[in-house]
């Protein structure tokens, strides 16, 4: 282990391990099949999200504020799953469980950063639905490409700063308890609990991260849909209400896929002694399944994207015929 002395006028010694050991599952046989399953989920996620981004980029009709947010979601899903899954496969399937200290913190940062961006992109999409249904005549003037890009850019910058601090505060800990992380990746909670000195600020940052990733986005989304419900109740036409809710269903499914597993796992950890294996399985699927299903549910099932795919396919067929 390496010892570091602070230069604040006091001789405080910090114990920083050269590496960590990712422990993962406890006494579960045949886990290699599960890691192979995660790998296939990752490959399908990469293909699906890449296809969505390519279609939005190639079809000029899809360069609207709504699909700017969809493109951002696909991009973040791609980066988030890439930040997590390949390293999990390398650690457990190929038994490379030693990970250097700095690499571990970098790994932690990107997993949480992209996870939080997924959450706030869903908030942006809820805002779009709110304006489209509650203020339809002003939708095109309020929800512009510039405004959506500005909202998403603010999310990227703000969350980058928050999670840089979140990870950076781990450097103030003296990690002399153990070097074994009881998780499937470099998770924040299992790391700071290895410390021998005061971890209260890290505990607070953990609650703050939970609030930023889960609580605040859920509250904002809930407020949006309560407003939508109130407005639609005043609508006399049943057909109009049906059409409006139909545009919201894909987004509501994405919200359930993303938030329910995260919320369930974190609440179970806080209020009960959930078995580490159950927590790890739920957490690993929470990080991979939404990235897999998002492009299918929100993009590849929508009429605009399907029409764009057909148009691009016809264009390619015609181009191949004319070049022969």
């Amino acid at each position: 282990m390496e010892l570091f002395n602070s230069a604040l006028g006091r001789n405080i010694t910090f114990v920083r391990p050269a590496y960590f050991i990712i422990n993962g599952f406890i006494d579960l046989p045949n886990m290699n099949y599960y890691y192979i399953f995660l790998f296939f989920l990752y490959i399908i996620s990469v293909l699906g999200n890449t296809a969505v981004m390519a279609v939005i980029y190639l079809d000029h009709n899809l360069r609207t504020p709504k699909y700017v947010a969809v493109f951002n979601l696909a991009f973040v899903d791609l980066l988030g799953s890439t930040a997590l899954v390949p390293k999990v496969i390398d650690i457990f399937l190929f038994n490379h469980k030693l990970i250097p200290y700095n690499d571990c913190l970098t790994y932690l940062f990107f997993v949480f950063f992209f996870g939080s961006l997924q959450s706030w992109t869903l908030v942006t999409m809820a805002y779009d639905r709110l304006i489209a249904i509650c203020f339809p005549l002003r939708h095109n003037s309020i929800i512009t490409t510039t405004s959506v890009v500005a909202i998403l850019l603010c999310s990227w910058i703000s969350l980058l700063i928050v999670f840089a601090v979140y990870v950076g505060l781990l450097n103030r800990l003296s990690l002399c308890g153990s070097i074994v992380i009881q998780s499937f990746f470099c998770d924040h909670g299992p790391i700071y609990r290895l410390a021998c000195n005061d971890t209260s600020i890290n505990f607070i940052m953990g609650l703050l991260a939970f609030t930023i990733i889960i609580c605040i986005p859920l509250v904002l989304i809930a407020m949006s849909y309560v407003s939508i419900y109130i407005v639609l109740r005043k609508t006399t036409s049943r057909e109009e209400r049906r059409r409006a809710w139909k545009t919201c269903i894909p987004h509501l499914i994405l919200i359930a896929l993303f938030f329910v597993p995260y919320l369930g796992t974190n609440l179970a950890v806080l209020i009960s002694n959930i078995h580490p294996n159950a927590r790890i399985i739920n957490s690993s699927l929470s990080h991979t399944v939404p990235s897999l299903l998002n492009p299918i549910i929100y993009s590849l099932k929508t009429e605009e994207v399907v029409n764009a795919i057909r148009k691009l396919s016809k264009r390619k067929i015609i181009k191949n015929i004319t070049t022969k």
Side-chain angles (χ1 to χ4, degrees), residues 20-24 92 99 104 178-191 194 279-280:
F20 290 107
I21 298 173
I22 309 295
N23 196 38
F92 296 107
I99 181 169
C104 189
S178 173
I179 60 171
V180 179
I181 298 175
Q182 299 292 347
S183 185
F184 69 105
F185 76 107
C186 291
D187 203 350
H188 181 263
I191 290 177
L194 302 177
R279 178 179 61 82
I280 290 171

Side-chain angles (χ1 to χ4, degrees), residues 10 29 62 64 80 99 102 111 136 146 150 157 167 169 177 185 189 275 322:
R10 295 176 297 172
L62 293 180
T64 62
I99 181 169
N102 289 328
V111 170
T146 302
I157 294 172
V167 175
L169 284 172
F185 76 107
H275 194 278
T322 55

Side-chain angles (χ1 to χ4, degrees), residues 293-324:
L293 296 179
N294 284 354
I296 298 172
I297 293 170
Y298 204 86
S299 301
L300 301 180
K301 284 287 187 179
T302 57
E303 186 177 348
E304 299 100 323
V305 175
V306 171
N307 291 336
I309 292 172
R310 288 172 180 165
K311 186 166 61 175
L312 291 171
S313 300
K314 288 179 181 178
R315 189 186 305 170
K316 185 176 180 180
I317 292 171
I318 293 172
K319 184 178 179 180
N320 290 337
I321 293 173
T322 55
T323 54
K324 287 183 180 178

